[in-house]
Amino acid sequence: MRNSMLYLVFFTFFLSSAQDQDTVVLKFREYLGYVKKYHPIAKQAELALATGQANLMRARGGFDPKIEVDFDQKDFKGTNYYDKLNAAFKIPTWYGIELKGTFEQNDGTFLNPESTVPDDGLYSAGISLSLGQGFWINERMSTLKQAKLFREQSKADRDLLINQILFKASIAYFDWLQAYNDMEIFKNFFENAQIRFEGVRKSALAGDKAAIDTVEAKIVVQDRALGLEQAKVRFMNKSLELSNFLWLSDNIPVELQPNVVPDADLSDDIDTTLEIMGMPLDSFSMDNHPKLRSLNFKIEGLEVDKRFKANKLLPKIDLEYNFLTETPELINSLETENYKGGINFQLPLFLRKERGDLKLAKFKLQDAQYELDNAEIELKNKIIAIYRELESFEIQNKLIADMVDNYETLLQAEERKFSFGESSLFLINSRESKLIDSELKQNQVQNKFFTTKAKLFNSLAVNPENL
């Protein structure tokens, strides 16, 4: 009962203005709109974008101010060995600079002399910075830059994922439409065969036709009935395949009902729905293609990583200077003769790890560049080939339409001659078989034409904004 209600709610959106009709037309635009909004893969694509934003937030956390408190105490056999309190407030900034303020208060019987401070504690304010490794780029900077690039790459990847699921959904709709049109063809000719059989049977009973003609007419009816049943099975299978792309908002799959049919007048709606209208061959640009943008962002991220690995070859020179005071509320109490400072210098003698990491980073960057160059030429040639194919299918559609008209003219002429007794059922059935084959071929060419438009949509990686 619950599923029936869901079907009713879903297909209310696709009802035509004449609600008393039995059939419900599922429009191509509304269908793709539901796929883009509710299909799990489309939702997964939005998660990719959210993941990129979360990574950026995590990378920015490397520059968050920090409060650190360190308290250490030792009491043994009634003796207070020491009580040590060290609190610090640190602000990481760009270019390896860190601002720091501390408070230190220590006492105890066995306190290390270097830890002796005034009774009210000792305050300090200072700065630490890296002059060699970590000055122009460090791990925090590298992570943040890569996270920003990954976020932009995630946007391009999301467009690719949505485009791919809409492409597959479009192919399923076009196959469903072809199966429906084929079924309608067999249905019409089955009805014609029944009418012709009744006419021949009446003529045979009246003695105007030979009785054997009724056998031939009956065989045609049976043949058309067989073709119709096979077409119904294909239509049912294509309907189930289309149902794979239909979901409701709460992740509930939807199964098409038998009275739901595709939009037969689809030619003018495809280009606007897929947003490929007005895109001649000489106007398309590869610069904004999502796949190429994704690869470009990937390359930029690898360049950041290469600079970071190259920076590791520099010596590590860390400087620190802190003003010391007992009265931080007095600015003039910060005097240069009261300070705590230091320098730390490190340099591996052979730098084998650092040089190896840099080479690997260069190889990854070169590999990504090769991938970009190859993808660019492949996409360009693929798009050009699809444009050429579309031009050919426009010619094929005109040719097959003329063929259908001519076969229909021949059939009508043969039926008129038959009514005058100047033809036979054999010739009528032959003409009709040719017409059926040509109409089925017309549906096939139309399907290939629509599929090629979907391939163009997929090659351009369009993410329709109006669905």
Side-chain angles (χ1 to χ4, degrees):
M1 180 66 183
R2 181 167 179 257
N3 286 339
S4 299
M5 292 299 295
L6 290 172
Y7 299 151
L8 179 61
V9 171
F10 178 74
F11 289 117
T12 298
F13 293 99
F14 305 112
L15 287 174
S16 60
S17 57
Q19 298 219 355
D20 55 340
Q21 295 179 356
D22 293 333
T23 60
V24 178
V25 177
L26 176 57
K27 295 286 187 178
F28 183 59
R29 176 181 291 274
E30 283 77 12
Y31 161 71
L32 285 190
Y34 266 83
V35 174
K36 183 177 180 180
K37 189 172 183 180
Y38 296 122
H39 195 278
I41 299 298
K43 292 182 178 180
Q44 186 180 13
E46 295 298 332
L47 283 180
L49 184 60
T51 300
Q53 191 65 37
N55 279 327
L56 179 59
M57 180 186 296
R58 182 178 63 178
R60 284 175 173 162
F63 293 90
D64 289 345
K66 298 177 182 178
I67 296 177
E68 298 178 358
V69 178
D70 183 17
F71 179 72
D72 199 9
Q73 182 182 44
K74 182 178 180 181
D75 285 290
F76 183 67
K77 293 184 178 180
T79 302
N80 181 17
Y81 276 62
Y82 55 79
D83 287 324
K84 294 189 291 185
L85 173 65
N86 194 333
F89 179 69
K90 299 178 181 179
I91 305 177
T93 63
W94 208 252
Y95 294 119
I97 299 174
E98 185 175 73
L99 305 177
K100 181 171 63 173
T102 65
F103 171 72
E104 188 177 0
Q105 189 174 39
N106 307 315
D107 60 28
T109 304
F110 298 102
L111 189 67
N112 193 322
E114 69 173 13
S115 300
T116 302
V117 296
D119 292 340
D120 293 333
L122 184 64
Y123 296 86
S124 70
I127 184 173
S128 63
L129 70 156
S130 300
L131 292 181
Q133 184 184 132
F135 181 71
W136 292 110
I137 186 169
N138 53 43
E139 187 172 359
R140 287 197 302 260
M141 296 163 59
S142 172
T143 303
L144 180 56
K145 287 181 178 180
Q146 290 184 16
K148 289 181 178 179
L149 293 169
F150 180 74
R151 179 186 60 178
E152 297 303 317
Q153 183 181 352
S154 298
K155 293 180 181 178
D157 291 340
R158 175 205 52 186
D159 291 343
L160 289 173
L161 283 172
I162 291 177
N163 174 270
Q164 186 65 23
I165 190 61
L166 292 180
F167 166 70
K168 292 180 179 179
S170 299
I171 298 299
Y173 189 94
F174 300 151
D175 290 344
W176 182 49
L177 174 62
Q178 181 186 2
Y180 173 76
N181 288 335
D182 290 349
M183 183 179 68
E184 289 298 303
I185 289 173
F186 281 106
K187 185 182 297 184
N188 292 333
F189 283 102
F190 171 67
E191 293 173 356
N192 291 341
Q194 285 183 312
I195 294 173
R196 188 180 302 119
F197 170 71
E198 290 297 328
V200 171
R201 188 176 65 85
K202 290 179 181 178
S203 296
L205 291 176
D208 296 333
K209 299 288 182 183
I212 195 65
D213 288 343
T214 61
V215 177
E216 185 174 358
K218 183 64 175 179
I219 291 174
V220 174
V221 171
Q222 293 170 336
D223 181 68
R224 301 292 182 261
L226 178 62
L228 177 59
E229 285 302 314
Q230 292 173 342
K232 286 180 178 179
V233 172
R234 286 195 298 272
F235 178 67
M236 179 187 66
N237 291 336
K238 295 303 179 182
S239 298
L240 291 174
E241 290 179 12
L242 189 79
S243 298
N244 294 333
F245 297 93
L246 292 175
W247 296 72
L248 293 179
S249 57
D250 44 358
N251 295 329
I252 297 177
V254 176
E255 182 177 342
L256 282 180
Q257 298 301 287
N259 64 320
V260 181
V261 297
D263 182 11
D265 189 15
L266 187 60
S267 300
D268 298 332
D269 196 34
I270 294 178
D271 290 355
T272 55
T273 300
L274 298 180
E275 297 184 9
I276 57 175
M277 179 173 287
M279 286 187 173
L281 179 58
D282 56 354
S283 68
F284 81 91
S285 173
M286 303 296 294
D287 296 336
N288 294 323
H289 195 284
K291 184 173 183 179
L292 300 184
R293 284 194 290 114
S294 176
L295 289 174
N296 276 316
F297 286 127
K298 178 182 177 181
I299 288 174
E300 290 183 34
L302 291 174
E303 287 176 344
V304 172
D305 184 62
K306 188 192 74 171
R307 290 198 298 270
F308 176 62
K309 296 296 174 54
N311 186 260
K312 290 281 191 178
L313 298 176
L314 298 175
K316 183 181 289 187
I317 307 174
D318 296 332
L319 300 179
E320 183 175 357
Y321 184 87
N322 298 279
F323 291 100
L324 301 178
T325 180
E326 298 180 70
T327 55
E329 68 276 6
L330 301 176
I331 299 298
N332 58 5
S333 65
L334 299 176
E335 299 178 356
T336 55
E337 59 267 19
N338 298 324
Y339 71 92
K340 180 174 69 173
I343 182 171
N344 180 28
F345 177 85
Q346 293 182 24
L347 178 64
L349 293 180
F350 300 110
L351 294 172
R352 285 181 290 196
K353 178 180 181 302
E354 291 76 9
R355 288 188 286 117
D357 288 342
L358 179 58
K359 284 185 177 182
L360 290 174
K362 289 181 178 179
F363 292 152
K364 289 180 181 179
L365 180 59
Q366 191 174 29
D367 180 73
Q369 187 63 55
Y370 289 150
E371 183 181 1
L372 174 63
D373 294 340
N374 182 66
E376 186 172 2
I377 192 66
E378 278 189 350
L379 282 173
K380 185 175 181 180
N381 290 335
K382 184 178 181 180
I383 291 171
I384 292 174
I386 290 175
Y387 272 107
R388 299 285 185 252
E389 194 173 352
L390 284 174
E391 293 174 357
S392 174
F393 274 120
E394 289 179 354
I395 298 174
Q396 292 180 44
N397 279 324
K398 293 178 181 178
L399 291 173
I400 192 66
D402 290 340
M403 288 175 59
V404 170
D405 290 340
N406 291 332
Y407 276 123
E408 191 169 359
T409 301
L410 288 175
L411 176 61
Q412 292 173 355
E414 205 66 48
E415 287 177 338
R416 283 197 301 270
K417 291 171 64 177
F418 181 75
S419 65
F420 298 145
E422 298 177 0
S423 182
S424 65
L425 279 176
F426 175 79
L427 290 176
I428 290 179
N429 294 334
S430 177
R431 300 292 191 194
E432 191 175 68
S433 296
K434 293 289 186 181
L435 178 59
I436 293 174
D437 291 341
S438 64
E439 289 189 359
L440 292 175
K441 191 172 184 179
Q442 185 180 33
N443 290 342
Q444 184 181 20
V445 172
Q446 183 190 60
N447 177 269
K448 290 181 179 180
F449 181 52
F450 292 163
T451 299
T452 304
K453 287 191 173 186
K455 288 180 180 178
L456 177 62
F457 165 78
N458 183 239
S459 298
L460 295 173
V462 178
N463 182 5
E465 297 178 357
N466 298 321
L467 289 180

